[in-house]
Amino acid sequence: QTPLVESGGALVQPGESLTLSCKTSAYTQDFAIGWFRQASGKGREGVSCISLDGLNTKYADSVKGRFTISRDNSKKMVYLQMNDLKPEDTAVYYCALDHTTAAWSHFVPQCRPSADFAAWGHGTQVTVSS
């Protein structure tokens, strides 16, 4: 299966900003999308999720107020704007698609890893360090 394609990861200093992108153009249909991350030695966790129409979102408590998820379905793109980055944000960030949401325009899934997120990208590394 053609994977989702993430980009934008980099090495940055604390307090700086990054924007991650997820290209979904391999799919002819829109779905709810989630951003997840996995730090070294830790389990994968949900960061932010967005409904297929872009009208509803969810955020992990650790990033709320700092990160913003958005999408442009005309361009088949999903974005994660990350501000005021902290060392604990260091992780591989993944974009994933919830295959059960094609008929649910306003639905935001529980933003946690599950079998519903059946399509994943290869990930992009974000490192926050002095």
Side-chain angles (χ1 to χ4, degrees):
Q1 186 70 268
T2 303
L4 302 167
V5 181
E6 303 98 335
S7 62
L11 171 64
V12 299
Q13 295 181 321
E16 294 185 340
S17 298
L18 278 176
T19 299
L20 305 183
S21 298
C22 175
K23 188 174 184 178
T24 70
S25 58
Y27 300 91
T28 60
Q29 202 167 24
D30 296 318
F31 302 86
I33 297 291
W35 282 102
F36 300 82
R37 67 186 182 187
Q38 186 164 18
S40 180
K42 306 293 184 180
R44 188 169 297 182
E45 64 174 337
V47 176
S48 183
C49 292
I50 188 167
S51 61
L52 71 86
D53 62 7
L55 297 180
N56 294 296
T57 59
K58 292 181 179 177
Y59 296 92
D61 289 342
S62 59
V63 307
K64 196 169 186 178
R66 298 188 297 121
F67 291 10
T68 302
I69 190 170
S70 62
R71 69 190 301 164
D72 185 342
N73 288 346
S74 70
K75 298 179 179 179
K76 293 292 186 180
M77 296 291 292
V78 182
Y79 306 99
L80 185 68
Q81 175 66 46
M82 306 185 295
N83 297 326
D84 190 25
L85 283 162
K86 305 176 184 297
E88 54 263 41
D89 295 318
T90 296
V92 178
Y93 283 71
Y94 299 90
C95 182
L97 179 154
D98 186 337
H99 74 285
T100 72
T101 59
W104 301 78
S105 296
H106 304 105
F107 176 71
V108 184
Q110 293 295 312
C111 206
R112 63 185 74 154
S114 77
D116 289 341
F117 289 97
W120 295 77
H122 295 309
T124 186
Q125 176 71 48
V126 174
T127 302
V128 185
S129 177
S130 299

